[in-house]
Amino acid sequence: MTFIKPEFRHPNAPKNNLGRTRKDYEGGLSTLCAGCGHDSISASIIDACFELNIEPHRVAKLSGIGCSSKTPAYFLSGSHSFNSVHGRMPSVATGANMANRDLIYLGVSGDGDTASIGMGQFAHVVRRNLNMVYIVENNGCYGLTKGQDSATMDTGSQSKKGQVNIYSPIDLARVAIEIGASFVGRSFSGDREQLVPLLKAAISHRGFALLDVISPCVTFNNHEGSTKSYAHTREHVEPMPIDFVPMRQEITANYESGATHDVCMHDGSVVRLHKANDEYDIEDRQSALQAIAQHSSAGGILTGLLYINRDGEELHDALGTARRPLNTLAQKELCPGSRFLDSINDGLR
Ligand SMILES: Cc1ncc(C[n+]2csc(CCOP(=O)(O)OP(=O)(O)O)c2C)c(N)n1
Ligand code: SF4
């Protein structure tokens, strides 16, 4: 059977400030299983980029290998894209970002791609605070290779064949906070109301932003006994709702005073958090780690913006690299001549 994506769209479809419709942010037709959480995440990325008025050619999409890593083909067809090797997306992202700091880097990975073969690369891209959004589409299994357990599968979670996982899970959000990530959020593919503002905030953040998104695999890990199924996630999710107000837009929403907390980002945009009863300080690393651990040991899944550090230096700041993308530097700037080299050498004596 051949699937063709319909070209027709409503003539009065809403347009953003660039005069573009949502269709301009779509990609090819998805080949994932119907109902896969990854497709909902793609739809949220499309919404976030449309609403942020991002020109698609200003985005670079990067991924590893897996069903999740296939998804950049299904959004932003007008963007740059590189589908790399299993677990190696972070080094490709680092190289591309170092060469051209003017693009928005969106990395998409899976829990297998990140928490097993890619764990080493993940750790280093986090601690270097590379300016990128790193999305883990977390289904607790290796979907593409037919559902083996991944390292994020919870202890006691059952496979489709009834086998119980005996190992401790790796919580990527906690690992990332521990080793220096400057923005960490968790969400659920089925909660677009939370995921879209979280994506917008992550894109606006200057530095490394991890989004660990529970994204059920309907084919291999959506049964009773699995802790990454739609039913289990819906039942145990404890969302901290957020709004995102872009720079230059007035904050109009009116909430009861004391019930919200505004976090101002570098570019002037604002993340507005709706306080939960047990709200903690999301700008305090220890407090964030403690809150996530407490919710998880009580069987809950805390979602929302879990941690932010607005003062961290991103990699270009730390290295003092050229302000302009390397491909815009002319021969004269790249080779300023022997007198300039002599002055550098003199400065080092
Ligand atoms: C070097 C290497 N080892 C193993 C594989 C086989 N492989 C392909 S995808 C995958 C795991 C995918 O799992 P995940 O990243 O969680 O993505 P999902 O398919 O669940 O979205 C594996 C082990 C590979 N392609 N390359
Ligand atoms: S196998 Fe699982 S992860 Fe892969 S497309 Fe199907 S539902 Fe999604």
Side-chain angles (χ1 to χ4, degrees):
M1 192 167 160
T2 308
F3 293 95
I4 297 171
K5 194 163 188 168
E7 278 300 307
F8 175 78
R9 291 291 185 282
H10 196 284
N12 297 329
K15 291 189 172 153
N16 63 13
N17 294 350
L18 301 173
R20 293 176 185 269
T21 64
R22 202 175 171 284
K23 183 175 183 294
D24 297 318
Y25 294 82
E26 291 176 359
L29 185 74
S30 172
T31 56
L32 304 185
C33 310
C36 175
H38 300 350
D39 278 335
S40 310
I41 300 174
S42 298
S44 292
I45 294 172
I46 290 169
D47 280 353
C49 293
F50 168 75
E51 289 170 24
L52 280 180
N53 303 298
I54 291 173
E55 290 173 296
H57 69 269
R58 288 202 48 241
V59 175
K61 307 173 288 182
L62 303 143
S63 62
I65 299 289
C67 299
S68 34
S69 292
K70 284 168 69 178
T71 64
Y74 313 138
F75 59 83
L76 298 179
S77 55
S79 300
H80 307 275
S81 194
F82 196 102
N83 185 199
S84 72
V85 181
H86 201 19
R88 270 58 164 196
M89 177 266 279
S91 51
V92 175
T94 307
N97 188 312
M98 287 295 97
N100 186 350
R101 65 197 291 169
D102 278 359
L103 297 177
I104 296 164
Y105 291 91
L106 283 186
V108 182
S109 179
D111 41 306
D113 196 61
T114 293
S116 287
I117 195 167
M119 194 63 177
Q121 296 222 346
F122 173 70
H124 291 284
V125 78
V126 172
R127 63 185 268 279
R128 286 175 176 155
N129 203 17
L130 189 77
N131 188 17
M132 73 175 297
V133 181
Y134 190 118
I135 302 163
V136 179
E137 305 195 337
N138 189 350
N139 53 20
C141 71
Y142 297 175
L144 191 73
T145 49
K146 305 222 178 299
Q148 300 86 347
D149 294 356
S150 82
T152 66
M153 183 177 244
D154 297 301
T155 318
S157 184
Q158 273 181 35
S159 73
K160 206 170 171 181
K161 289 190 178 156
Q163 217 167 8
V164 175
N165 177 40
I166 55 168
Y167 302 111
S168 295
I170 293 175
D171 183 332
L172 290 167
R174 278 158 73 183
V175 170
I177 296 173
E178 190 65 61
I179 58 180
S182 50
F183 182 114
V184 176
R186 176 137 49 214
S187 196
F188 169 41
S189 60
D191 186 355
R192 208 140 145 183
E193 264 185 41
Q194 183 195 60
L195 183 53
V196 174
L198 206 48
L199 276 161
K200 290 198 224 170
I203 292 170
S204 303
H205 174 71
R206 202 154 170 270
F208 186 84
L210 171 73
L211 292 181
D212 177 29
V213 187
I214 316 265
S215 177
C217 168
V218 286
T219 305
F220 298 111
N221 203 10
N222 194 36
H223 44 270
E224 214 183 314
S226 158
T227 58
K228 293 277 191 288
S229 65
Y230 277 110
H232 186 277
T233 309
R234 284 210 177 95
E235 209 173 300
H236 292 84
V237 84
E238 297 170 308
M240 286 193 287
I242 77 165
D243 291 325
F244 179 78
V245 187
M247 184 180 49
R248 289 189 288 271
Q249 194 173 308
E250 203 187 339
I251 303 175
T252 50
N254 207 4
Y255 300 100
E256 265 177 57
S257 73
T260 61
H261 172 68
D262 289 345
V263 182
C264 199
M265 314 280 286
H266 276 109
D267 64 358
S269 51
V270 170
V271 175
R272 173 163 277 185
L273 304 166
H274 302 259
K275 283 185 180 173
N277 291 336
D278 59 350
E279 205 214 355
Y280 64 92
D281 182 2
I282 61 154
E283 298 193 53
D284 179 86
R285 184 186 288 192
Q286 285 312 324
S287 152
L289 285 169
Q290 216 172 352
I292 302 167
Q294 266 166 7
H295 282 261
S296 136
S297 56
I301 309 162
L302 187 62
T303 63
L305 177 55
L306 303 177
Y307 174 70
I308 186 167
N309 171 10
R310 289 173 291 160
D311 303 323
E313 275 190 325
E314 67 117 332
L315 190 54
H316 281 284
D317 301 335
L319 296 179
T321 49
R323 299 272 341 139
R324 282 164 43 204
L326 300 188
N327 65 358
T328 66
L329 298 178
Q331 172 79 6
K332 207 169 148 228
E333 291 156 304
L334 292 168
C335 297
S338 54
R339 272 176 56 194
F340 191 73
L341 186 63
D342 288 345
S343 73
I344 293 177
N345 286 337
D346 286 344
L348 296 171
R349 285 202 177 101

